[in-house]
Amino acid sequence: MTRPRAVICGAGIAGLTLAWWLERDGWQVVLVERAARPRDGGYMMDFFGPGYDVAAGMGLLPRLSDIHTVITELAYRDPAGRGRGRVDYRTFARGLRGRLFSFMRGDLERVLREAVADRVEIRYGATVEKLADDGAGVAVTVTGGRTEPADLLVGADGIHSRVRGLMAGPQVGRLRRLGYHTASYSFADEELHRRVGPRFVLVATPGRQAGLYPTGDGRLAVSLIHRAEGALPADPTATVHATYGGLGSLVDRALGHCPTGADLYYDQVAQVELDRWHRGAVALVGDACQAVSLMAGQGASLAMAGAYVLADELRAGGPVPAALARYQRRLQPLVRHTQRAGRRTARWLVPDSAWRLTARSTALRAMSLPGAARLLGSLLAGAGRGGVPAPPPG
């Protein structure tokens, strides 16, 4: 019996997760990735929720434990170095019953890439150029002119998805910009590493915030976010220096390591709002259709959950278009709920006024009160699993 064939555009978290589940279910999978090589770095994230369950079903929890970075506390400071609130990370862990990891996004991608390395084909430096869906399948033209016949094409190619544009034409949905720009990079600095220690240190003034934290390889990473409207700057490095200079000695020293070019990640903070995630035998997954933004968090967790739900519906059988429709119905309510939560909390995550900074400090101090872990756990659980059941063990 001929195995069904899937082409996945994008070898990030969503694409790699989907490739794992589809190959496990008997599909022949080809991954195409625009980048010339695997990506490293990214930013530190807290990983919990439905993605944790999906990783458990893939048998990856031991590897995620290996890349976990121990962060003892989240410490807020003003530019003069004065404390403005803190949260013991054990509070988060207790609230989630220990089901929490902290690691770099690039490290999660590496673990997922290793999990599929001998099972699926990954082609770097290639993307989808054209598609033709005849109702019985889809002909996918990739970079170089080669046409790949497939039973399914999935765009897992991020917030600026090319497949989304090819699938939906001019009606590509809404890229809701939240009014912030963000940047991140990592570097080596032993003295600064000692000063930061095992903490996530956040320095904030109204409208801008810089975070420093250790990575698993002994380096430091910087996460930056500030209020900004409009297009991306022509010189992101110059913008980072102009925006964050004078934010205190820790940040000023970190700015001395700010790279140029592709080594500096810089983008708008945005969400993708799309009414339809599929057409014929073509579907979207991850940020291509469900970007919730870093304001909402859980982007990687939801990307893995979305990949699992898509594979689960295909596993249930029936025509591919019907499975894609069921996938969207199951997951979209959870995505929309998370997006709304991110928009509500944006001004508290990056306060735009002195009084909001003060209010946030007060709330952080309350986190040390008895019962805070239980309350936090119920709030985090409020995101729910939606239509994402815990997968069976891999």
Side-chain angles (χ1 to χ4, degrees):
M1 182 176 177
T2 303
R3 292 197 296 167
R5 196 163 191 268
V7 175
I8 301 173
C9 182
I13 291 169
L16 291 166
T17 303
L18 179 62
W20 192 96
W21 287 102
L22 289 182
E23 194 280 336
R24 178 180 183 266
D25 292 340
W27 288 70
Q28 180 185 358
V29 180
V30 175
L31 272 163
V32 294
E33 167 56 50
R34 179 186 296 274
R37 61 188 64 85
R39 294 165 293 190
D40 296 318
Y43 50 84
M44 178 75 74
M45 59 187 178
D46 294 322
F47 184 79
F48 58 93
Y52 190 104
D53 294 328
V54 174
M58 297 170 71
L60 295 179
L61 294 188
R63 287 292 294 119
L64 298 188
S65 181
D66 290 341
I67 65 173
H68 172 66
T69 299
V70 175
I71 303 292
T72 59
E73 70 174 18
L74 184 64
Y76 285 85
R77 296 180 180 176
D78 64 17
R82 294 183 294 258
R84 288 293 181 261
R86 58 178 294 276
V87 178
D88 190 323
Y89 248 67
R90 290 173 296 185
T91 301
F92 286 106
R94 288 196 301 270
L96 292 164
R97 305 188 310 280
R99 296 163 56 83
L100 169 69
F101 289 116
S102 299
F103 41 60
M104 299 292 287
R105 182 183 182 91
D107 288 340
L108 175 59
E109 285 193 12
R110 175 167 50 82
V111 167
L112 292 169
R113 199 161 50 243
E114 291 169 354
V116 302
D118 299 326
R119 301 166 55 181
V120 303
E121 179 184 359
I122 304 179
R123 300 178 193 164
Y124 289 98
T127 189
V128 173
E129 301 293 346
K130 294 189 297 183
L131 63 89
D133 190 340
D134 63 6
V138 58
V140 184
T141 303
V142 300
T143 302
R146 180 173 175 178
T147 298
E148 302 282 350
D151 300 283
L152 172 69
L153 167 64
V154 179
D157 47 346
I159 195 168
H160 305 294
S161 171
R162 176 169 178 79
V163 173
R164 184 175 68 230
L166 293 172
M167 181 194 84
Q171 302 301 318
V172 295
R174 179 181 180 187
L175 188 65
R176 183 195 284 259
R177 295 174 175 85
L178 301 187
Y180 300 86
H181 286 189
T182 184
S184 63
Y185 59 94
S186 64
F187 60 94
D189 186 321
E190 292 185 7
E191 179 184 339
L192 194 55
H193 194 283
R194 287 193 296 271
R195 292 172 63 187
V196 172
R199 294 169 295 183
F200 196 139
V201 178
L202 283 160
V203 183
T205 59
R208 56 180 179 157
Q209 182 168 277
L212 287 84
Y213 49 89
T215 65
D217 58 1
R219 293 162 63 86
L220 282 172
V222 179
S223 176
L224 306 168
I225 184 167
H226 65 278
R227 291 282 304 175
E229 302 289 349
L232 297 176
D235 188 342
T237 300
T239 298
V240 165
H241 281 279
T243 302
Y244 297 95
L247 209 55
S249 61
L250 289 176
V251 178
D252 284 344
R253 179 161 181 139
L255 290 177
H257 298 279
C258 184
T260 59
D263 290 331
L264 173 65
Y265 169 80
Y266 192 106
D267 206 350
Q268 296 172 320
V269 177
Q271 297 177 338
V272 171
E273 296 176 322
L274 191 63
D275 289 334
R276 189 173 178 86
W277 296 1
H278 58 91
R279 189 191 74 189
V282 183
L284 304 171
V285 71
D287 281 354
C289 61
Q290 65 185 58
V292 295
S293 85
L294 58 83
M295 297 299 190
Q298 295 199 74
S301 180
L302 283 173
M304 293 185 69
Y308 171 73
V309 171
L310 176 52
D312 192 44
E313 290 298 344
L314 290 164
R315 186 185 310 121
V320 167
L324 303 185
R326 294 194 304 268
Y327 146 70
Q328 178 176 341
R329 286 197 298 271
R330 278 176 64 181
L331 194 67
Q332 193 172 46
L334 174 60
V335 169
R336 287 181 169 170
H337 170 83
T338 308
Q339 288 178 330
R340 288 193 296 269
R343 294 194 294 270
R344 286 195 303 268
T345 59
R347 289 189 175 182
W348 298 104
L349 292 173
V350 186
D352 57 3
S353 64
W355 78 265
R356 277 200 171 94
L357 277 171
T358 300
R360 185 176 70 177
S361 297
T362 301
L364 289 168
R365 286 193 291 271
M367 293 300 296
S368 62
L369 297 175
R374 187 165 55 253
L375 174 61
L376 179 63
S378 66
L379 291 173
L380 293 173
R385 286 198 180 97
V388 189

